Amino acid sequence: MPELLLEVGCEELPATFVRKAYTDLLTRVAVALGELYGGTFEGTALGTPRRLVVSFPDIPARQPDTTKEVRGPALKAAYDESGNPTSALQGFCRSNSVEATQLRKDEQYVWLTKAIVGLPTAELLADALPRAIKGLTFEKSMRWGGARLRFARPLRWILAAFDGTVVEFEIEGVKSGLESRGHRFYSPESFTARTLSELVPGLRERKVEPDVDRRVAAIIEQTGTVAGGTPELPDDLVDENAFLTEWPTAIGGEFRQEHLSLPAPVLTTAMAKHERMFPVRDAGGNLINRFVFIRNSGEDDSVRRGAEWVLNARLDDAQFFFKEDAKHDLDYFLEKTAGIVFQERLGTVRERGDRLEAL
């Protein structure tokens, strides 16, 4: 049976939005198919910062024909004393394009068994797919240009194919078609895809890995190769980098040796939280002045120099504030809270702290 392929292309989504977005899109399309045909539908969902992809194999080409029981007028209102059809019954027949002889009766009402011809799937999808896309919700959304739709980022293209042909619809001026796009910088030109088996290799040829599991595996493998030590690879940081990139490439870099005098949590926070870099340790478990950065585009040397400059600047700031803070004890900082207003009617931060201490 035919395959349904849907790809929603947009500006780069925040890393935390991507997995939920393509999972929700898969669920919404599956629910729509279930409403049209009954039963459950299993599909595939993939996603990168610039695209949400779902595919469903073996979709019926059209809805099955069905019948529907339609209740007509009550018997007392349907026939007169001579048993002839009344105007109420005649109106019911006209509205349903049937003759009175085609109706049946029970003890109270007149009934019609109405045949409903199933519609072509492509026609049904032209209504169901835009509703599924518009129904996606995000922690934060936006409008752009003259658009009324609220979405996480502006839509740029929609690939919608069923049985190899386009499912035609439009959302905020973006018309559906059979065109996808490669990596924004490496291969930005469009290409045609009608099935998932065409789309996935086409994307990989154009420097886009649509499968997040493969991106994660590439990040872990490459990071181990370029680290120059043992990299810290927390799952959440690996996932974040996987959802920030379409074609992840790991590069190793160094920060100035003098910054190793900072406490380890300061170093790892600056690298991992602020810059999404992986800290590196030696065989003894001590941090060394190296890091691994995952780039999505650019040249290794240029990106390395930029990453090193940014990290050293952050660590320069950290070094300054750490030295300044070390000049004072905790009582000094506690006294400073006496001059910080917590809330106009609730006093200062120091007074709030005293209340909490008393409690």
Side-chain angles (χ1 to χ4, degrees):
M1 285 191 288
E3 176 189 350
L4 166 63
L5 173 64
L6 175 65
E7 180 189 41
V8 180
C10 58
E11 296 297 326
E12 279 79 356
L13 296 168
T16 55
F17 288 16
V18 181
R19 189 189 297 275
K20 179 181 181 299
Y22 69 70
T23 302
D24 286 354
L25 184 60
L26 181 74
T27 300
R28 287 183 174 276
V29 176
V31 169
L33 292 172
E35 292 173 349
L36 294 174
Y37 298 100
T40 58
F41 288 81
E42 299 293 333
T44 300
L46 303 168
T48 76
R50 290 186 74 209
R51 70 199 72 230
L52 311 173
V53 180
V54 297
S55 172
F56 288 85
D58 302 328
I59 305 299
R62 62 181 299 116
Q63 275 184 315
D65 296 339
T66 58
T67 59
K68 180 181 179 181
E69 295 297 319
V70 181
R71 192 180 75 180
L75 289 178
K76 293 180 180 179
Y79 299 95
D80 60 21
E81 294 179 354
S82 301
N84 297 316
T86 63
S87 58
L89 183 59
Q90 291 171 0
F92 176 74
C93 292
R94 284 195 301 271
S95 66
N96 289 281
S97 302
V98 296
E99 299 293 333
T101 55
Q102 296 176 257
L103 305 176
R104 61 182 178 82
K105 311 170 188 175
D106 62 13
E107 295 179 353
Q108 291 182 296
Y109 295 97
V110 173
W111 292 86
L112 167 64
T113 301
K114 189 172 184 178
I116 301 176
V117 178
L119 296 174
T121 296
E123 184 178 329
L124 297 167
L125 290 175
D127 176 65
L129 295 183
R131 282 193 289 108
I133 296 169
K134 292 176 182 179
L136 294 176
T137 58
F138 303 89
E139 293 178 20
K140 294 182 180 179
S141 56
M142 61 179 290
R143 289 194 293 264
W144 61 96
R148 299 184 64 183
L149 172 68
R150 296 189 67 86
F151 205 77
R153 292 294 183 269
L155 298 178
R156 290 294 177 248
W157 77 90
I158 301 172
L159 187 162
F162 177 71
D163 197 16
T165 60
V166 63
V167 179
E168 295 185 359
F169 59 89
E170 182 178 332
I171 300 177
E172 299 295 353
V174 180
K175 294 183 179 180
S176 60
L178 298 176
E179 299 293 311
S180 181
R181 301 182 188 179
H183 192 284
R184 180 185 291 277
F185 302 109
Y186 294 138
S187 187
E189 67 279 359
S190 300
F191 69 98
T192 300
R194 291 178 171 83
T195 63
L196 188 65
S197 60
E198 289 183 359
L199 178 64
V200 170
L203 289 174
R204 288 172 179 158
E205 290 172 7
R206 293 164 176 82
K207 302 291 187 180
V208 175
E209 175 49 67
D211 187 340
V212 66
D213 292 335
R214 289 197 176 204
R215 296 200 301 275
V216 166
I219 288 171
I220 293 173
E221 179 182 359
Q222 294 178 31
T223 298
T225 301
V226 304
T230 303
E232 287 188 7
L233 295 168
D235 291 342
D236 57 346
L237 185 57
V238 173
D239 284 348
E240 184 175 11
N241 275 282
F243 285 121
L244 284 170
T245 57
E246 291 200 309
W247 195 253
T249 303
I251 57 172
E254 295 183 355
F255 57 88
R256 293 198 301 274
Q257 184 80 21
E258 65 199 63
H259 291 314
L260 287 175
S261 62
L262 286 166
V266 174
L267 293 172
T268 56
T269 297
M271 284 185 274
K273 183 176 180 181
H274 294 158
E275 301 302 329
R276 281 83 174 177
M277 298 171 176
F278 297 101
V280 181
R281 297 182 182 271
D282 60 19
N286 301 307
L287 284 173
I288 59 177
N289 65 320
R290 288 191 59 79
F291 64 87
V292 177
F293 182 73
I294 307 299
R295 68 171 176 84
N296 189 49
S297 63
E299 299 294 330
D300 281 0
D301 288 341
S302 297
V303 174
R304 180 182 295 107
R305 287 194 298 270
E308 290 177 343
W309 186 90
V310 169
L311 182 58
N312 275 307
R314 280 199 176 274
L315 294 179
D316 284 342
D317 288 345
Q319 195 91 49
F320 171 79
F321 286 109
F322 180 74
K323 288 180 179 178
E324 289 300 306
D325 288 349
K327 295 177 181 178
H328 308 284
D329 58 19
L330 290 179
D331 288 336
Y332 169 83
F333 293 107
L334 182 61
E335 288 302 321
K336 287 178 73 69
T337 63
I340 303 172
V341 175
F342 171 62
Q343 204 274 343
E344 182 180 3
R345 298 176 64 185
L346 297 176
T348 65
V349 171
R350 175 62 190 272
E351 290 172 326
R352 173 178 179 265
D354 291 340
R355 289 197 298 271
L356 290 174
E357 181 184 14
L359 288 172

